Each structure stands twice: as C-alpha cells, then as structure tokens.
Amino acid sequence: MAGHTENSITIDAPFDLVWEMTNDLENWPRLFSEYASVDVLSREGDTTTFRLTMHPDENGKVWSWVSERTPDRSKRTVRARRVETGPFAHMDILWEYEEVPGGIEMRWTQDFAMKPDAPVDDAWMTDNINRNSRTQMTLIRDKIEQAARESETASVASSR
C-alpha cells in the first residue's frame, strides 16, 4: 500500500505574491511553523537541493532530511522529492497554483510509501500529513493575505 494526500486552500492574494512567498525557501522557517531551518546545499538550473530541519517533536527528537525542489513558474507547478528519505521508501510532492474566484488555489499532492521498518505505516502517515498540511496551509494563507493587505495599504499611501 502507498500513501496519497491532496490538500488545497484558496489564498486571496495576487499570484506573483503567492508564488514568491511560497517558493522563497530561505524564508520557510518564518512561513511554516514546523521548520526550524532551511539550508540550501546546491542550485543547478531551476532545481534547489536543501536540508529541512524541524523544531523538536514532543519527545525532543529533531527530524531533518534533504529534498530537491524544481519550480516551473510558466506551468504554475513545483515538483519536489526527498533525496534522504529517512523512514519513507519514497516521497514525491507536487504543488499546483491555479487562479480561482477569490484568489489563488494552492494544492499540495504527496505520494509516498513508508519503509517496512518505519515506526508508522502508510495509513498513519496519510492522516498525519493531511492534518499537518491543513494547519500549515492555513498559516501560510494568513501570512500571505496579511502581506497582500500591507502591500495594498502601502500602495494607497504612496499614491497620495
């Protein structure tokens, strides 16, 4: 059995702002609540290889892994995968952005499988990713919408 998740949220902000904020890897520790740090290891063309480190979990364990991420702005997609898979046999991620009434829909699709000796199974991880994705997407939406409002306010003020 393999795991599959799809989660989406609509962000009331211009595409350019949504794209820039969600693809600014170095800013992810301020955008996501779960990441303590992002270390860019290499950039080759449009692909970035980076280490993500999470805040300690409830047991004090710090999880960290290497991923690679390739954005395609013209297609409004980002493909990513874990290079250091840890407890996963594989983890492939697709981010899609689409203009919809009310803003930009950001969709995350994750396809994965846990290794046989992983501490959790595919079903547990599917539930965990779904729960966490909803939490992170809400935080991201709120931060981007706040940035959009601040940008609008600044534009109005500077045009006076």
Side-chain angles (χ1 to χ4, degrees), residues 4-160:
H4 173 84
T5 65
E6 279 188 43
N7 291 279
S8 65
I9 196 162
T10 299
I11 303 169
D12 184 11
F15 170 74
D16 288 341
L17 182 63
V18 175
W19 180 266
E20 293 305 322
M21 287 185 71
T22 58
N23 287 290
D24 178 2
L25 292 176
E26 289 86 352
N27 195 47
W28 275 14
R30 288 176 290 285
L31 191 61
F32 290 80
S33 64
E34 62 189 339
Y35 300 139
S37 66
V38 175
D39 298 306
V40 173
L41 304 175
S42 68
R43 285 193 161 93
E44 292 183 34
D46 292 332
T47 301
T48 302
T49 303
F50 58 100
R51 175 171 296 284
L52 273 175
T53 303
M54 297 182 79
H55 293 288
D57 67 16
E58 62 277 355
N59 299 316
K61 176 146 177 65
V62 174
W63 297 92
S64 179
W65 63 91
V66 173
S67 290
E68 67 178 24
R69 182 174 172 85
T70 306
D72 185 335
R73 188 181 178 110
S74 66
K75 291 182 180 175
R76 297 182 175 203
T77 61
V78 179
R79 294 196 177 275
R81 70 179 186 90
R82 283 192 181 205
V83 176
E84 287 180 4
T85 59
F88 293 91
H90 68 89
M91 167 64 86
D92 299 301
I93 305 168
L94 173 65
W95 287 26
E96 299 171 287
Y97 303 81
E98 181 181 352
E99 289 189 43
V100 297
I104 303 299
E105 180 185 65
M106 180 176 67
R107 175 178 307 280
W108 296 347
T109 304
Q110 293 173 269
D111 290 298
F112 61 91
M114 303 308 295
K115 290 179 179 172
D117 62 347
V120 299
D121 63 13
D122 293 339
W124 185 95
M125 187 55 73
T126 297
D127 289 342
N128 186 61
I129 289 171
N130 279 327
R131 191 173 40 257
N132 190 54
S133 291
R134 287 189 288 272
T135 298
Q136 295 305 315
M137 287 179 139
T138 299
L139 289 170
I140 290 167
R141 178 201 62 204
D142 293 350
K143 289 175 182 177
I144 294 173
E145 288 180 353
Q146 179 181 349
R149 285 191 304 273
E150 289 171 359
S151 177
E152 259 180 40
T153 304
S155 293
V156 169
S158 69
S159 67
R160 291 184 180 163

